[in-house]
Amino acid sequence: MKVLSSSFIFVILVALITGFIQVNAESVHCNNPLSRCNGKYVECPYECPSTYPKDPKSKVCYVNCDHPQCKASCKTRKASCDTPGSACYDPRFIGGDGVVFYFHGKSNEHFSLVSDSNLQINGRFIGHRPEGRTRDFTWIQALGILFNSNTFSLEATKSATWDSEVDHLKFTYNGENLVVPEEPLSIWYSPEKDVKVERVSRKNSVIVNIKHTVEILVNVVPVTKEDDRVHKYQVPEDDCFVHLEVQFRFFNLSPKVDGVLGRTYRPDFENPAKPGVAMPVLGDENKYRTESLLSADCESCIFSLQIGSNKEISSVTDYGTLDCTHGGSAGYGIVCRK
């Protein structure tokens, strides 16, 4: 019987650690005809060998279908507030151009965050105006999504005090309440499989995927006492303003996309925020105000239920965030295999 040398064993260990040898790693297959990587299988990295990890805290493997080398990479499964496409805090946005800006809107009103020919995403703002201030402190409390002839909403329920053991998420699909079991990685699909809601943790953190259109990572958080102290919000005792931290990943946006956040993805967008300003505020509340969470009636809205086949595809089209989960394609344009 041969005995392996210590040097050989050392080489094998180094290879495993650096990822040159994969153990039970999945391969991801890009199945999108618009991608240069269409039809290719790419092995997941050592750091995230699975597209559907058992531990919800683990990073997930995804295929960058628009990468020149068709690269598979790792991503976290919770919303990041420091990434382009994010909307957090009171509210602070990072646009598709990577520039940070604020849009305060107004408490108890709705605003178009993204409006494209086949997608409308509105946000409901909550907050209050302490005595002596000239504007409201606001946070995003709910998202309303219109696509094709369907509607989907997600909201953070009100609470006087924060309890992390209580789920503060409420969902509707086409006007009907829906329930996503409070278990890590539990999934709800719409009847047509064009909407997927996946819990990242048991409570207050989900990923919403509208097929071929947008992926939304959502955390539910309160305004903490420390936030209140630092920013002098003067939060009342009967409301901790439970709200959403959101990270959007868009696919197939058109060059005419609009909305508070959507406009920053236009190829011709010139950010009016002045360089060096600590808190640049972009206004136009009247331009983006909608009548309700699930309406597309604002001055700048371009969403239409009549989707034409000649829709322009923007240069900002992003397939780099497509991923496969739950061990198969689930109709999202990606195939996974062990």
Side-chain angles (χ1 to χ4, degrees):
M1 185 181 204
K2 267 189 176 180
V3 178
L4 296 177
S5 68
S6 59
S7 59
F8 180 77
I9 294 174
F10 175 76
V11 169
I12 294 297
L13 288 173
V14 170
L16 284 170
I17 293 171
T18 56
F20 287 107
I21 296 180
Q22 301 280 349
V23 177
N24 294 326
E26 292 180 4
S27 292
V28 284
H29 173 240
C30 187
N31 188 29
N32 193 311
L34 297 179
S35 168
R36 70 190 73 185
C37 303
N38 184 43
K40 293 186 178 181
Y41 279 94
V42 184
E43 200 165 59
C44 292
Y46 171 80
E47 297 82 4
C48 55
S50 175
T51 56
Y52 194 71
K54 293 181 180 179
D55 183 355
K57 295 181 181 179
S58 298
K59 290 186 177 182
V60 66
C61 171
Y62 75 96
V63 60
N64 189 339
C65 291
D66 206 34
H67 192 280
Q69 298 175 348
C70 307
K71 187 178 179 182
S73 303
C74 303
K75 71 174 182 179
T76 58
R77 297 167 58 78
K78 285 200 172 186
S80 169
C81 292
D82 299 312
T83 303
S86 62
C88 303
Y89 313 130
D90 56 347
R92 188 197 75 171
F93 293 83
I94 302 183
D97 56 357
V99 176
V100 175
F101 68 94
Y102 289 78
F103 178 87
H104 298 304
K106 191 173 181 181
S107 177
N108 300 317
E109 293 192 358
H110 306 87
F111 298 91
S112 168
L113 304 184
V114 179
S115 187
D116 208 350
S117 57
N118 68 334
L119 176 68
Q120 178 77 29
I121 303 178
N122 299 329
R124 178 190 296 136
F125 286 37
I126 58 169
H128 76 137
R129 182 181 301 188
E131 186 176 350
R133 286 193 58 84
T134 57
R135 69 164 180 85
D136 296 342
F137 284 119
T138 53
W139 297 269
I140 298 175
Q141 178 265 340
L143 297 177
I145 305 171
L146 295 83
F147 62 103
N148 300 331
S149 58
N150 300 308
T151 63
F152 177 87
S153 71
L154 174 156
E155 64 179 272
T157 57
K158 183 177 179 179
S159 180
T161 57
W162 175 255
D163 183 352
S164 61
E165 293 303 311
V166 174
D167 187 48
H168 294 271
L169 278 167
K170 180 180 177 182
F171 310 93
T172 71
Y173 177 69
N174 288 338
E176 299 291 331
N177 291 333
L178 65 93
V179 176
V180 183
E182 293 181 18
E183 295 295 336
L185 307 181
S186 64
I187 295 176
W188 175 89
Y189 285 106
S190 63
E192 298 81 13
K193 295 293 180 71
D194 52 357
V195 182
K196 172 185 175 184
V197 182
E198 179 184 358
R199 286 196 185 271
V200 177
S201 56
R202 290 181 61 244
K203 306 174 192 297
N204 301 313
S205 185
V206 295
I207 299 175
V208 177
N209 197 311
I210 309 296
K211 187 177 179 181
H212 300 322
T213 305
V214 63
E215 180 184 66
I216 311 172
L217 285 68
V218 180
N219 299 327
V220 181
V221 295
V223 175
T224 66
K225 291 183 179 180
E226 180 64 12
D227 293 335
D228 192 21
R229 183 190 68 81
V230 171
H231 299 286
K232 299 179 174 59
Y233 292 135
Q234 300 181 44
V235 171
E237 293 183 359
D238 63 345
D239 195 345
C240 65
F241 294 114
V242 180
H243 61 282
L244 307 178
E245 293 179 341
V246 183
Q247 180 186 349
F248 297 98
R249 295 180 174 129
F250 300 104
F251 316 122
N252 295 337
L253 290 176
S254 80
K256 297 179 181 179
V257 61
D258 214 317
V260 172
L261 178 64
R263 57 183 165 175
T264 67
Y265 285 83
R266 297 175 66 151
D268 60 351
F269 178 70
E270 294 184 7
N271 201 311
K274 295 181 180 179
V277 176
M279 293 180 62
V281 177
L282 301 190
D284 289 332
E285 282 87 352
N286 292 333
K287 185 177 179 181
Y288 298 111
R289 183 180 284 107
T290 64
E291 286 189 2
S292 67
L293 187 64
L294 293 170
S295 65
D297 57 353
C298 72
E299 180 184 324
S300 66
C301 291
I302 63 173
F303 174 78
S304 172
L305 293 177
Q306 303 299 321
I307 306 300
S309 59
N310 59 343
K311 177 188 172 186
E312 297 177 79
I313 301 298
S314 169
S315 60
V316 300
T317 295
D318 180 10
Y319 296 101
T321 55
L322 290 173
D323 72 292
C324 48
T325 57
H326 207 39
S329 68
Y332 287 94
I334 291 192
V335 178
C336 308
R337 70 178 182 184
K338 288 281 187 182

